[in-house]
């Protein structure tokens, strides 16, 4: 995934952010034509991005990461018998 442009601005990160914003505007009925300098997405561009697996909602990755960690926690409990997960290797968390 492309780094969050708010934390570390990059041309690609800004483009992704602007593309996602344009998609949200389109879904909300605003095609962006009245916003100077805004990205306007055509159905062809959306189809091309969908075809390459573009993630329209960056929050999806956060949810996936949470679910992955939750599964790891369940496995940890099964293996160790408790939820006292170390904060650092070799140090027991409390």
């Amino acid at each position: 995934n492309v780094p969050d442009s708010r934390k570390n601005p990059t041309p690609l990160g800004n483009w992704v952010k602007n593309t996602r914003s344009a998609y949200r505007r389109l879904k909300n009925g605003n095609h962006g034509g009245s916003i100077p300098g805004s990205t306007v997405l055509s159905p062809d561009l959306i189809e091309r991005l969908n075809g390459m697996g573009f993630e329209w909602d960056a929050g999806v990755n956060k949810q996936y990461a949470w679910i992955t960690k939750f599964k790891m926690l369940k496995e940890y409990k099964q293996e160790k018998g408790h939820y006292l997960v170390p904060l650092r290797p070799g140090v027991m968390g409390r």
Side-chain angles (χ1 to χ4, degrees):
N1 202 9
V2 176
D4 187 333
S5 63
R6 293 170 294 180
K7 296 175 187 169
N8 184 17
T10 65
L12 181 58
N14 285 329
W15 180 83
V16 168
K17 178 187 68 147
N18 292 337
T19 300
R20 286 179 174 143
S21 293
Y23 187 75
R24 280 191 302 276
R25 283 194 309 272
L26 184 65
K27 289 296 180 188
N28 290 328
N30 180 348
H31 299 281
S34 62
I35 303 170
S38 66
T39 302
V40 179
L41 293 175
S42 68
D44 178 59
L45 292 175
I46 292 170
E47 185 177 322
R48 289 170 64 185
L49 288 165
N50 283 337
M52 60 185 266
F54 186 79
E55 295 180 22
W56 294 105
D57 183 4
V60 170
N61 276 342
K62 293 175 184 175
Q63 183 178 13
Y64 174 78
W66 190 93
I67 291 169
T68 300
K69 298 293 189 206
F70 182 76
K71 289 178 182 178
M72 290 172 66
L73 180 62
K74 286 173 59 178
E75 291 172 6
Y76 184 90
K77 169 77 159 93
Q78 286 178 338
E79 182 181 320
K80 306 286 186 181
H82 58 78
Y83 291 113
L84 299 174
V85 180
L87 298 175
R88 295 181 301 268
V91 179
M92 289 303 295
R94 294 195 170 48

